């Protein structure tokens, strides 16, 4: 990537990230992480806070990182098919919104799975703790 960091147009960045055969593929993903990781993490963190995940005795940082990697796997799955389906490739603002929606949906699915498994394993008292109806102590 001959252009300075951050100056690569979004359409070119997405094309580079989709083409595993490109000599620039790895550099493209590094640029993608640099540009969008903070935003994706903010979306995930906001959703986790809305779900009050800390009440479930979970390490929020670990959960956020797990979800972040689920988002990345979703983007690169099937030869980056999901990136290929993004249409407005010239508009970074629209891409960020689309990426935020993807991250939020994956976060909700992850938390739903996690919460369901926890409630099934530990019983309904965790649900009451989560809702703040009883104290964990």
């Amino acid at each position: 990537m001959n252009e300075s960091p951050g100056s690569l147009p979004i359409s070119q960045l997405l094309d580079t990230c989709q083409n595993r055969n490109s000599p620039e593929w790895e550099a493209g993903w590094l640029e993608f992480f640099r540009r969008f990781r903070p935003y994706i993490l903010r979306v995930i963190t906001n959703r986790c806070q809305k779900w009050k995940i800390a009440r479930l005795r979970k390490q929020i940082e670990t959960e956020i990182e797990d979800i972040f990697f689920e988002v990345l796997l979703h983007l690169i799955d099937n030869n980056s098919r999901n990136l290929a389906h993004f249409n407005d490739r010239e508009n970074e603002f629209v891409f960020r919104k689309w990426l935020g929606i993807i991250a939020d949906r994956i976060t909700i699915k992850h938390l739903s799975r996690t919460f369901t498994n926890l409630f099934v394993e530990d019983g309904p008292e965790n649900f009451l703790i989560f809702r703040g109806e009883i104290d964990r102590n």
Side-chain angles (χ1 to χ4, degrees):
M1 298 195 160
N2 298 330
E3 299 190 33
S4 63
S7 66
L8 196 63
I10 189 66
S11 60
Q12 190 176 348
L13 179 60
L14 295 176
D15 289 343
T16 301
C17 289
Q18 284 178 245
N19 184 1
R20 285 184 187 220
N21 297 323
S22 168
E24 303 294 335
W25 183 77
E26 188 174 325
W29 277 105
L30 290 174
E31 173 63 17
F32 186 94
F33 288 0
R34 187 195 67 73
R35 234 153 129 175
F36 299 110
R37 185 175 194 273
Y39 175 69
I40 294 169
L41 290 175
R42 191 168 47 251
V43 169
I44 294 168
T45 300
N46 289 342
R47 177 58 65 186
C48 286
Q49 289 171 344
K50 286 178 184 174
W51 277 55
K52 299 175 179 136
I53 192 171
R55 291 187 182 178
L56 290 174
R57 301 179 311 234
K58 293 284 185 180
Q59 295 292 330
I60 193 166
E61 294 82 15
T62 303
E63 288 298 311
I64 289 170
E65 284 297 318
D66 289 349
I67 297 166
F68 175 75
F69 286 109
E70 281 186 44
V71 171
L72 294 180
L73 287 173
H74 178 80
L75 294 174
I76 65 171
D77 195 30
N78 294 324
N79 280 337
S80 303
R81 178 182 53 117
N82 294 310
L83 284 179
H85 284 134
F86 176 72
N87 294 324
D88 197 354
R89 298 177 82 72
E90 301 300 322
N91 190 330
E92 186 164 335
F93 175 77
V94 173
F95 177 73
R96 288 175 71 86
K97 287 293 191 186
W98 176 83
L99 188 57
I101 291 168
I102 297 293
D104 193 51
R105 288 180 180 170
I106 290 172
T107 302
I108 290 169
K109 286 179 186 175
H110 178 92
L111 294 175
S112 294
R113 275 193 319 270
T114 301
F115 282 57
T116 300
N117 290 342
L118 188 62
F119 295 148
V120 167
E121 291 170 7
D122 293 346
E125 63 276 359
N126 265 337
F127 182 71
L128 297 174
I129 291 169
F130 168 69
R131 291 195 42 193
E133 293 180 17
I134 61 173
D135 191 356
R136 192 180 332 190
N137 301 326

